Amino acid sequence: MTYCVGTMLDSGLVFASDSRTHAGVDNFASFCKMTVFERTGDRVIVLLSSGNLAGTQAVISILKQRNAKDGIPNLWVAESMFDTAMLVSDAMRDVDRRDGQKLAANNVSFNASFILGGQIAGEQTRLFRIYAQGNFIEASLETPYFQTGETKYGKPIIDRVITRSTSLNDAAKCVLVSFDSTMCSNLSVGMPIDLICYQRDSLEVTMRRRFDIGDTYFNALGKQWTEGVRQVFSRLPNLDW
Amino acid sequence: MTYCVGTMLDSGLVFASDSRTHAGVDNFASFCKMTVFERTGDRVIVLLSSGNLAGTQAVISILKQRNAKDGIPNLWVAESMFDTAMLVSDAMRDVDRRDGQKLAANNVSFNASFILGGQIAGEQTRLFRIYAQGNFIEASLETPYFQTGETKYGKPIIDRVITRSTSLNDAAKCVLVSFDSTMCSNLSVGMPIDLICYQRDSLEVTMRRRFDIGDTYFNALGKQWTEGVRQVFSRLPNLDW
């Protein structure tokens, strides 16, 4: 399993991903699921990966390799975030074309999916959710965030706190608490957590952090959050029976 | 789907259940999933039902019918909550024996399951989770609550707030917020919500409420909770990049 979140705010974008991969509880490992394509002043593109690791790694390798060659449409020359989503989708279909049949014969599906977001100079920030089939949806005013993987435990707090006008800082804290809630309930989501807060129109990544097991800030956040919500409950009006 | 919660506190027990049943989004209805067997001064037994409605109703009808006859072991004469769990389990197996084969032939399983809790004079309060197979587990000091149905959305807030020493009032508020979170994310969980707070050693139900759509207290609770947690986030320390 995996847990990834991308949120689109008026002030920018927040991305976070866990690092656990596993094939059964007796076979787990740690891989970064966040990939950044950045050219300061021109573009910041962030990709969060979910699903079969062989599939997501192949997609990202193809994207990186194509970017190195001239004359082929690639993430460094794409003129819009929509075009970058199409490029990711194309790479996914290439991998599926190569591996899909072999996987299907062994009852494994090519289930790679992505959250893609960022900004290209001349455009607004944009955020996409790309399904395993390569089709995709874009975040809207009504639904300004996407999750992939183990989404349920961490969803309610995002729903209650994050709106388009939430600050980057508050949204980052909320996303981290959402990860904490998820990791408390599902062992297949695990640290380190990678976090990026992208400030709209900055066209560079200035706020990136990795939270490893025992991270002082992350632990304090979880503790203070728990104390805070207990206080909120004690102040809520009691039921009148 | 369904959402039911039973929690065991030092001060007593809190039970809550939603009322939605459905066979597809175009065929839903409302049924109370909470059944109470109460004899003041002697016993309070609360049963929360999940799963196939025909199955859970049959189990409860059998339990009620047997209770009316003398000489047969039943919920009114059981000497311990463990014995009541056995009686529920026996009734489940009776229904499965009658219907199981027919259901299986149509790819439907007898998936009724229950949260059972309460107190019989001379015993402590006890809480059980009875699986569809009729086997069951009992709540412990480490895990003082059980959920059935759509459990994920509403679990983190219970994990953070409810301990054995939480007051009945705070636990009730937390359980209601957990229902609100769940209903915001899953249309197959719906109001009315039935709630019982059972005060340890009272051996009678004095606190029972039903929350229907538009309930003033329930709506205020959700609103104040959302405002409260936003304030908690704004007070949490900002990330140091």
Side-chain angles (χ1 to χ4, degrees):
Chain A
M1 193 57 90
T2 280
Y3 184 41
C4 295
V5 178
T7 71
M8 190 160 69
L9 315 164
D10 291 336
S11 51
L13 297 156
V14 176
F15 300 94
S17 55
D18 86 313
S19 302
R20 183 152 292 171
T21 65
H22 75 112
V25 287
D26 57 350
N27 182 5
F28 66 94
S30 185
F31 284 90
C32 178
K33 300 173 190 172
M34 178 182 278
T35 309
V36 181
F37 298 86
E38 177 186 15
R39 187 158 59 202
T40 307
D42 175 54
R43 67 193 56 209
V44 167
I45 300 165
V46 180
L47 205 54
L48 307 178
S49 319
S50 306
N52 185 293
L53 186 64
T56 58
Q57 285 194 341
V59 169
I60 287 162
S61 287
I62 287 173
L63 290 170
K64 285 183 174 168
Q65 204 159 302
R66 284 194 183 146
N67 293 343
K69 291 182 190 161
D70 288 337
I72 299 173
N74 66 59
L75 294 182
W76 297 112
V77 297
E79 290 180 4
S80 70
M81 286 300 297
F82 178 78
D83 287 347
T84 68
M86 297 281 269
L87 289 169
V88 175
S89 166
D90 290 345
M92 291 166 72
R93 286 168 181 178
D94 288 348
V95 175
D96 188 36
R97 211 169 291 124
R98 182 184 151 82
D99 292 345
Q101 219 170 354
K102 275 280 177 202
L103 294 176
N106 291 281
N107 294 319
V108 180
S109 65
F110 173 72
N111 67 349
S113 72
F114 296 91
I115 291 173
L116 168 76
Q119 188 172 22
I120 291 177
E123 261 205 335
Q124 295 298 311
T125 53
R126 295 173 79 175
L127 182 69
F128 298 87
R129 161 103 166 82
I130 309 179
Y131 297 107
Q133 292 72 25
N135 56 342
F136 51 84
I137 56 173
E138 184 168 1
S140 67
L141 282 175
E142 297 81 11
T143 302
Y145 72 90
F146 292 129
Q147 303 168 288
T148 56
E150 176 55 277
T151 60
K152 292 188 179 183
Y153 297 111
K155 184 172 184 290
I157 195 60
I158 295 178
D159 280 334
R160 297 205 194 256
V161 173
I162 295 183
T163 65
R164 290 288 296 240
S165 60
T166 307
S167 72
L168 279 175
N169 261 317
D170 280 0
K173 290 184 265 183
C174 176
V175 165
L176 289 174
V177 167
S178 169
F179 269 77
D180 191 39
S181 296
T182 306
M183 291 188 303
C184 287
S185 292
N186 189 328
L187 292 174
S188 75
V189 177
M191 298 181 97
I193 298 164
D194 289 293
L195 176 76
I196 281 180
C197 284
Y198 170 74
Q199 180 101 42
R200 194 185 71 179
D201 299 333
S202 66
L203 294 169
E204 66 178 325
V205 176
T206 56
M207 295 175 278
R208 180 172 185 164
R209 268 283 298 268
R210 165 162 273 215
F211 301 89
D212 218 327
I213 294 169
D215 184 278
T216 315
Y217 176 79
F218 189 79
N219 287 354
L221 194 75
K223 192 160 168 280
Q224 288 186 43
W225 162 246
T226 300
E227 284 164 9
V229 298
R230 284 190 184 156
Q231 280 167 26
V232 174
F233 274 108
S234 66
R235 283 196 303 268
L236 292 176
N238 282 338
L239 253 168
D240 176 17
W241 299 96
Chain B
M1 195 57 92
T2 278
Y3 184 40
C4 294
V5 178
T7 71
M8 190 159 70
L9 315 164
D10 291 337
S11 51
L13 297 156
V14 177
F15 300 94
S17 55
D18 85 314
S19 302
R20 183 152 294 172
T21 65
H22 74 111
V25 288
D26 56 348
N27 183 5
F28 66 94
S30 185
F31 285 89
C32 179
K33 300 172 190 173
M34 178 182 278
T35 310
V36 182
F37 298 86
E38 177 186 14
R39 187 159 56 204
T40 306
D42 175 52
R43 66 192 60 211
V44 168
I45 300 165
V46 180
L47 205 54
L48 308 179
S49 319
S50 305
N52 186 294
L53 185 65
T56 57
Q57 285 194 342
V59 169
I60 287 163
S61 287
I62 287 173
L63 289 170
K64 286 182 174 169
Q65 206 160 299
R66 284 194 185 147
N67 294 344
K69 290 183 192 161
D70 289 336
I72 299 174
N74 66 58
L75 293 182
W76 297 113
V77 298
E79 290 181 4
S80 70
M81 285 303 295
F82 177 79
D83 287 347
T84 66
M86 297 282 269
L87 289 169
V88 176
S89 165
D90 290 346
M92 290 166 72
R93 287 169 181 175
D94 288 348
V95 175
D96 188 36
R97 211 171 290 126
R98 180 183 154 82
D99 292 345
Q101 219 169 356
K102 276 280 177 201
L103 293 177
N106 291 279
N107 295 317
V108 180
S109 65
F110 174 71
N111 66 349
S113 73
F114 296 90
I115 291 172
L116 168 76
Q119 188 172 21
I120 291 177
E123 260 205 334
Q124 296 299 310
T125 52
R126 295 174 78 174
L127 182 69
F128 297 87
R129 160 104 167 82
I130 310 178
Y131 298 107
Q133 291 73 24
N135 57 342
F136 50 84
I137 56 175
E138 183 169 2
S140 67
L141 281 175
E142 297 82 11
T143 302
Y145 71 92
F146 291 129
Q147 302 168 287
T148 56
E150 176 55 277
T151 60
K152 292 188 179 183
Y153 297 111
K155 184 173 185 290
I157 195 61
I158 295 178
D159 280 334
R160 298 205 193 256
V161 173
I162 295 184
T163 65
R164 290 289 294 241
S165 60
T166 307
S167 71
L168 279 176
N169 261 317
D170 280 359
K173 289 184 264 182
C174 177
V175 165
L176 289 175
V177 167
S178 170
F179 269 76
D180 191 39
S181 296
T182 307
M183 290 189 300
C184 287
S185 292
N186 190 328
L187 292 174
S188 74
V189 177
M191 299 181 96
I193 298 164
D194 289 294
L195 176 76
I196 280 180
C197 285
Y198 170 74
Q199 182 100 43
R200 195 186 72 178
D201 299 333
S202 67
L203 294 168
E204 66 177 325
V205 176
T206 56
M207 295 175 277
R208 180 172 185 165
R209 267 283 298 267
R210 166 162 272 215
F211 301 89
D212 219 325
I213 294 169
D215 184 276
T216 314
Y217 176 80
F218 189 79
N219 287 354
L221 195 75
K223 194 160 166 281
Q224 288 185 44
W225 162 247
T226 300
E227 283 163 11
V229 298
R230 285 189 184 157
Q231 280 167 24
V232 174
F233 274 108
S234 65
R235 282 196 304 268
L236 292 176
N238 282 336
L239 252 168
D240 177 16
W241 299 96

